[in-house]
Amino acid sequence: MGETDYLITGHRVGVRDLRAADCREYIARVRESAELHHPWVSPPATAEEFNARLGTPGRRGYAVCELATGGIAAGVAINNIVYGSFRCGALGYSAFAHAAGRGLTREGIGLVIRHAFDPGGLGLHRLEANVQPANDRSRRLVRGLGFRLEGLSPDFLFVDGAWRDHERWAITSEMPLAGARPADEPAVPAQPPSASGSASANSLRQHR
């Protein structure tokens, strides 16, 4: 895969748009990761489900790929994108079993967030992540990336056959983002927002 296929790259992974040609690899990874995903998420496991989700309005799907191989390590999506005065989306993600525990998904999600907030990317101001309270791994992930816990919504999403409570986590473009840096961004400590409440824009390595 050529470097220009990626929207943004980190040190070990690159992020690109998910496309129809990814269907076979993606659903194979989903099926081999069923034990990892259950009961928290249900990513598309058939070609019909994959293609239907790919064309959902107000949604952007991304493949997090290992730079060394080009293989898909995780799927990340920003759903329910609304612009205007809101400029918000809902973050979803699924690590795949062959890449789990190596930090690749975390790095990829951090890159997707940077792309989402960049004016040359999606130009969003806020991202939300809804996490079941018992999903400790996911809670640690979003907390580690800099999300703040904003509350609990009872019976919020229908998952695994029932309406499940979810914690509401969120991050805005002004908040420091921990975790992955683009490959060409220097390793400098995160700076607090300026007195005006705006943080300086992230330096991104964009390919668009």
Side-chain angles (χ1 to χ4, degrees):
M1 174 174 296
E3 183 176 298
T4 55
D5 289 315
Y6 292 115
L7 301 167
I8 182 171
T9 56
H11 294 282
R12 295 184 297 162
V13 302
V15 171
R16 60 170 175 78
D17 288 314
L18 196 63
R19 52 204 181 202
D22 293 322
C23 181
R24 179 174 295 182
E25 179 183 2
Y26 189 93
I27 62 177
R29 293 303 188 191
V30 168
R31 290 171 178 173
E32 70 186 27
S33 305
E35 185 175 345
L36 176 67
H37 293 161
H38 182 79
W40 312 117
V41 293
S42 300
T46 67
E48 292 76 17
E49 292 173 351
F50 179 90
N51 290 322
R53 196 167 299 189
L54 199 64
T56 302
R59 180 184 187 275
R60 291 291 298 271
Y62 300 99
V64 175
C65 302
E66 291 191 67
L67 293 177
T69 65
I72 300 175
V76 181
I78 301 178
N79 303 293
N80 305 323
I81 297 173
V82 178
Y83 283 98
S85 59
F86 197 32
R87 286 165 52 204
C88 180
L91 182 70
Y93 44 86
S94 300
F96 293 142
H98 76 288
R102 296 163 54 194
L104 302 179
T105 302
R106 178 189 172 107
E107 181 179 345
I109 293 172
L111 295 172
V112 169
I113 294 170
R114 290 173 182 269
H115 174 70
F117 286 159
D118 185 63
L122 298 186
L124 298 178
H125 171 255
R126 173 183 170 91
L127 287 174
E128 301 175 351
N130 300 301
V131 182
Q132 293 185 56
N135 191 346
D136 291 332
R137 181 179 297 179
S138 192
R139 294 176 75 249
R140 289 195 300 269
L141 188 152
V142 294
R143 183 190 294 114
L145 285 167
F147 283 67
R148 66 189 174 207
L149 178 60
E150 295 189 338
L152 176 71
S153 294
D155 304 329
F156 186 61
L157 291 173
F158 193 80
V159 179
D160 193 35
W163 290 99
R164 309 289 181 181
D165 299 349
H166 281 70
E167 294 177 345
R168 302 190 313 277
W169 295 77
I171 190 169
T172 67
S173 57
E174 292 90 357
M175 294 167 60
L177 172 64
R181 294 186 305 273
D184 61 351
E185 182 177 293
V188 296
Q191 298 298 315
S194 65
S196 66
S198 297
S200 60
N202 292 314
S203 170
L204 296 178
R205 183 183 182 185
Q206 295 282 354
H207 308 287
R208 190 175 177 86

